């Protein structure tokens, strides 16, 4: 059960076997049904979750009542509300499973224990945050500077496994489109 997460950790840094065993001992395994909310707006996020199996969507509801997808997360990815988790403040987001999921959860308390005992994990989590920030900045740049067709093609290129696993209206929400507009973009591409 811990092989995937240990492989992930070892890609970030070299760890001794006993360090990985301690890490594994702090993780809680959880099986979650499809369409389950892991986090609701207003709750305080008590987990960072590594996805062993499944697909998860993070979103918020805008002032007009529309769902705005922020992220999709699949196997070997992490999902959380970093701000709520770190600061222990109410979340502005929803985290929902789109498929049956197998997760490994790390609580704030266990993360602090891990970092105190095995400081090398600080590097792993720093690298995760840096990659996430870089992807967020790239997404912001693409949102501002790309055409609708370019945004959609970039999404397909970056995340080829996701379109087969999530509803088109979620992809439209992620791209900042209405479902109808995404249909027009797809039709335009298929005509070429």
């Amino acid at each position: 059960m811990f092989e995937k997460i240990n492989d992930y950790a070892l890609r970030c840094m070299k760890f001794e076997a006993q360090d990985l065993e301690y890490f594994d001992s702090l993780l809680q395994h959880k099986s979650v049904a499809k369409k389950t909310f892991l986090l609701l707006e207003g709750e305080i996020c008590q987990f960072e979750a590594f996805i062993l199996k499944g697909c998860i969507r993070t979103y918020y509801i805008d002032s007009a009542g529309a769902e705005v997808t922020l992220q999709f997360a699949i196997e070997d990815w992490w999902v959380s509300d970093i701000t709520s988790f770190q600061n222990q403040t109410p979340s502005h987001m929803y985290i929902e499973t789109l498929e049956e999921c197998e997760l490994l959860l790390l609580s704030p308390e266990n993360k602090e224990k891990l970092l105190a005992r095995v400081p090398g994990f600080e590097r792993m989590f720093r690298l995760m945050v840096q990659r996430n920030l870089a992807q967020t900045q790239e997404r912001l740049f693409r949102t501002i500077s790309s055409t609708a067709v370019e945004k959609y093609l970039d999404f397909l290129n970056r995340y080829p496994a996701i379109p087969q696993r999530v509803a088109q209206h979620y992809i439209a929400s992620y791209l900042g489109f209405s479902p109808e507009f995404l249909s027009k973009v797809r039709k335009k591409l298929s005509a070429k």
Side-chain angles (χ1 to χ4, degrees), residues 85-103:
F85 179 86
Q86 185 64 37
N87 299 331
Q88 291 295 283
T89 55
S91 178
H92 299 289
M93 300 189 300
Y94 296 82
I95 301 177
E96 178 185 22
T97 61
L98 298 179
E99 299 173 349
E100 288 185 17
C101 291
E102 295 288 326
L103 308 172

mmCIF file of all heavy atoms in Angstrom, residues 85-103:
data_model
loop_
_atom_site.group_PDB
_atom_site.id
_atom_site.type_symbol
_atom_site.label_atom_id
_atom_site.label_comp_id
_atom_site.label_asym_id
_atom_site.label_seq_id
_atom_site.Cartn_x
_atom_site.Cartn_y
_atom_site.Cartn_z
ATOM 1 N N PHE A 85 -5.245 24.063 5.554
ATOM 2 C CA PHE A 85 -4.444 23.055 6.262
ATOM 3 C C PHE A 85 -3.339 23.716 7.070
ATOM 4 O O PHE A 85 -3.169 23.425 8.256
ATOM 5 C CB PHE A 85 -3.853 22.070 5.245
ATOM 6 C CG PHE A 85 -2.994 20.989 5.840
ATOM 7 C CD1 PHE A 85 -3.562 19.822 6.315
ATOM 8 C CD2 PHE A 85 -1.614 21.132 5.914
ATOM 9 C CE1 PHE A 85 -2.774 18.813 6.859
ATOM 10 C CE2 PHE A 85 -0.820 20.139 6.453
ATOM 11 C CZ PHE A 85 -1.400 18.969 6.927
ATOM 12 N N GLN A 86 -2.590 24.599 6.421
ATOM 13 C CA GLN A 86 -1.437 25.219 7.067
ATOM 14 C C GLN A 86 -1.845 26.175 8.186
ATOM 15 O O GLN A 86 -1.262 26.168 9.261
ATOM 16 C CB GLN A 86 -0.596 25.972 6.026
ATOM 17 C CG GLN A 86 0.672 26.559 6.558
ATOM 18 C CD GLN A 86 1.655 25.508 7.038
ATOM 19 O OE1 GLN A 86 1.777 24.442 6.445
ATOM 20 N NE2 GLN A 86 2.350 25.791 8.119
ATOM 21 N N ASN A 87 -2.853 27.000 7.927
ATOM 22 C CA ASN A 87 -3.241 28.034 8.883
ATOM 23 C C ASN A 87 -4.369 27.610 9.821
ATOM 24 O O ASN A 87 -4.716 28.364 10.726
ATOM 25 C CB ASN A 87 -3.657 29.304 8.141
ATOM 26 C CG ASN A 87 -2.535 29.865 7.303
ATOM 27 O OD1 ASN A 87 -1.365 29.707 7.618
ATOM 28 N ND2 ASN A 87 -2.881 30.501 6.202
ATOM 29 N N GLN A 88 -4.961 26.434 9.537
ATOM 30 C CA GLN A 88 -6.104 25.930 10.304
ATOM 31 C C GLN A 88 -7.224 26.969 10.344
ATOM 32 O O GLN A 88 -7.775 27.308 11.391
ATOM 33 C CB GLN A 88 -5.672 25.490 11.716
ATOM 34 C CG GLN A 88 -4.809 24.239 11.702
ATOM 35 C CD GLN A 88 -5.582 23.018 11.188
ATOM 36 O OE1 GLN A 88 -6.374 22.446 11.906
ATOM 37 N NE2 GLN A 88 -5.358 22.633 9.935
ATOM 38 N N THR A 89 -7.541 27.466 9.148
ATOM 39 C CA THR A 89 -8.617 28.434 8.954
ATOM 40 C C THR A 89 -9.685 27.808 8.057
ATOM 41 O O THR A 89 -9.402 26.869 7.307
ATOM 42 C CB THR A 89 -8.079 29.720 8.286
ATOM 43 O OG1 THR A 89 -7.406 29.373 7.069
ATOM 44 C CG2 THR A 89 -7.122 30.458 9.223
ATOM 45 N N PRO A 90 -10.919 28.331 8.095
ATOM 46 C CA PRO A 90 -11.980 27.764 7.255
ATOM 47 C C PRO A 90 -11.641 27.834 5.766
ATOM 48 O O PRO A 90 -11.096 28.820 5.282
ATOM 49 C CB PRO A 90 -13.195 28.628 7.588
ATOM 50 C CG PRO A 90 -12.921 29.144 8.964
ATOM 51 C CD PRO A 90 -11.430 29.365 8.999
ATOM 52 N N SER A 91 -11.995 26.779 5.073
ATOM 53 C CA SER A 91 -11.716 26.673 3.644
ATOM 54 C C SER A 91 -12.742 27.454 2.833
ATOM 55 O O SER A 91 -13.891 27.621 3.240
ATOM 56 C CB SER A 91 -11.767 25.203 3.228
ATOM 57 O OG SER A 91 -11.557 25.078 1.845
ATOM 58 N N HIS A 92 -12.325 27.886 1.668
ATOM 59 C CA HIS A 92 -13.222 28.502 0.692
ATOM 60 C C HIS A 92 -13.556 27.514 -0.421
ATOM 61 O O HIS A 92 -14.242 27.864 -1.371
ATOM 62 C CB HIS A 92 -12.569 29.748 0.073
ATOM 63 C CG HIS A 92 -12.256 30.810 1.079
ATOM 64 N ND1 HIS A 92 -13.228 31.563 1.695
ATOM 65 C CD2 HIS A 92 -11.073 31.228 1.599
ATOM 66 C CE1 HIS A 92 -12.662 32.401 2.541
ATOM 67 N NE2 HIS A 92 -11.363 32.218 2.500
ATOM 68 N N MET A 93 -13.052 26.278 -0.283
ATOM 69 C CA MET A 93 -13.149 25.314 -1.369
ATOM 70 C C MET A 93 -13.931 24.072 -0.968
ATOM 71 O O MET A 93 -14.163 23.816 0.209
ATOM 72 C CB MET A 93 -11.741 24.873 -1.798
ATOM 73 C CG MET A 93 -10.881 25.993 -2.285
ATOM 74 S SD MET A 93 -9.334 25.439 -3.024
ATOM 75 C CE MET A 93 -8.532 24.574 -1.719
ATOM 76 N N TYR A 94 -14.248 23.317 -2.014
ATOM 77 C CA TYR A 94 -14.822 21.986 -1.885
ATOM 78 C C TYR A 94 -13.825 21.026 -2.517
ATOM 79 O O TYR A 94 -13.244 21.331 -3.557
ATOM 80 C CB TYR A 94 -16.144 21.870 -2.651
ATOM 81 C CG TYR A 94 -17.237 22.769 -2.120
ATOM 82 C CD1 TYR A 94 -17.294 24.107 -2.490
ATOM 83 C CD2 TYR A 94 -18.209 22.270 -1.265
ATOM 84 C CE1 TYR A 94 -18.290 24.934 -2.015
ATOM 85 C CE2 TYR A 94 -19.219 23.090 -0.784
ATOM 86 C CZ TYR A 94 -19.261 24.424 -1.158
ATOM 87 O OH TYR A 94 -20.247 25.244 -0.680
ATOM 88 N N ILE A 95 -13.652 19.869 -1.891
ATOM 89 C CA ILE A 95 -12.844 18.806 -2.480
ATOM 90 C C ILE A 95 -13.740 17.584 -2.555
ATOM 91 O O ILE A 95 -14.231 17.109 -1.528
ATOM 92 C CB ILE A 95 -11.564 18.529 -1.671
ATOM 93 C CG1 ILE A 95 -10.696 19.798 -1.585
ATOM 94 C CG2 ILE A 95 -10.781 17.374 -2.285
ATOM 95 C CD1 ILE A 95 -9.436 19.655 -0.750
ATOM 96 N N GLU A 96 -13.968 17.107 -3.791
ATOM 97 C CA GLU A 96 -14.940 16.040 -4.039
ATOM 98 C C GLU A 96 -14.321 14.932 -4.886
ATOM 99 O O GLU A 96 -13.627 15.207 -5.862
ATOM 100 C CB GLU A 96 -16.150 16.630 -4.774
ATOM 101 C CG GLU A 96 -17.209 15.628 -5.124
ATOM 102 C CD GLU A 96 -18.343 16.225 -5.954
ATOM 103 O OE1 GLU A 96 -18.128 17.275 -6.610
ATOM 104 O OE2 GLU A 96 -19.423 15.644 -5.956
ATOM 105 N N THR A 97 -14.621 13.687 -4.527
ATOM 106 C CA THR A 97 -14.158 12.562 -5.325
ATOM 107 C C THR A 97 -15.054 12.424 -6.556
ATOM 108 O O THR A 97 -16.270 12.513 -6.453
ATOM 109 C CB THR A 97 -14.167 11.246 -4.525
ATOM 110 O OG1 THR A 97 -15.500 10.960 -4.112
ATOM 111 C CG2 THR A 97 -13.261 11.329 -3.310
ATOM 112 N N LEU A 98 -14.442 12.202 -7.715
ATOM 113 C CA LEU A 98 -15.191 11.973 -8.947
ATOM 114 C C LEU A 98 -15.241 10.484 -9.288
ATOM 115 O O LEU A 98 -16.006 10.072 -10.158
ATOM 116 C CB LEU A 98 -14.565 12.748 -10.110
ATOM 117 C CG LEU A 98 -14.543 14.270 -9.958
ATOM 118 C CD1 LEU A 98 -13.874 14.916 -11.156
ATOM 119 C CD2 LEU A 98 -15.945 14.817 -9.761
ATOM 120 N N GLU A 99 -14.407 9.709 -8.621
ATOM 121 C CA GLU A 99 -14.356 8.264 -8.765
ATOM 122 C C GLU A 99 -14.161 7.671 -7.373
ATOM 123 O O GLU A 99 -13.838 8.401 -6.430
ATOM 124 C CB GLU A 99 -13.158 7.836 -9.637
ATOM 125 C CG GLU A 99 -13.165 8.360 -11.041
ATOM 126 C CD GLU A 99 -11.869 8.050 -11.796
ATOM 127 O OE1 GLU A 99 -10.866 7.610 -11.178
ATOM 128 O OE2 GLU A 99 -11.872 8.254 -13.011
ATOM 129 N N GLU A 100 -14.316 6.355 -7.250
ATOM 130 C CA GLU A 100 -13.923 5.701 -6.006
ATOM 131 C C GLU A 100 -12.440 5.962 -5.809
ATOM 132 O O GLU A 100 -11.667 5.894 -6.761
ATOM 133 C CB GLU A 100 -14.184 4.203 -6.078
ATOM 134 C CG GLU A 100 -15.647 3.845 -6.031
ATOM 135 C CD GLU A 100 -15.863 2.337 -5.988
ATOM 136 O OE1 GLU A 100 -14.924 1.580 -5.680
ATOM 137 O OE2 GLU A 100 -16.995 1.934 -6.278
ATOM 138 N N CYS A 101 -12.050 6.272 -4.588
ATOM 139 C CA CYS A 101 -10.659 6.650 -4.328
ATOM 140 C C CYS A 101 -10.063 5.832 -3.190
ATOM 141 O O CYS A 101 -10.758 5.454 -2.249
ATOM 142 C CB CYS A 101 -10.562 8.128 -3.965
ATOM 143 S SG CYS A 101 -10.920 9.243 -5.326
ATOM 144 N N GLU A 102 -8.769 5.617 -3.311
ATOM 145 C CA GLU A 102 -7.946 5.078 -2.232
ATOM 146 C C GLU A 102 -6.927 6.167 -1.912
ATOM 147 O O GLU A 102 -6.182 6.607 -2.801
ATOM 148 C CB GLU A 102 -7.215 3.804 -2.671
ATOM 149 C CG GLU A 102 -8.124 2.647 -2.994
ATOM 150 C CD GLU A 102 -8.773 2.035 -1.768
ATOM 151 O OE1 GLU A 102 -8.128 2.002 -0.692
ATOM 152 O OE2 GLU A 102 -9.938 1.604 -1.876
ATOM 153 N N LEU A 103 -6.915 6.605 -0.666
ATOM 154 C CA LEU A 103 -6.088 7.739 -0.271
ATOM 155 C C LEU A 103 -5.201 7.401 0.916
ATOM 156 O O LEU A 103 -5.542 6.545 1.734
ATOM 157 C CB LEU A 103 -6.980 8.924 0.123
ATOM 158 C CG LEU A 103 -8.057 9.353 -0.859
ATOM 159 C CD1 LEU A 103 -8.969 10.390 -0.224
ATOM 160 C CD2 LEU A 103 -7.429 9.883 -2.129
#
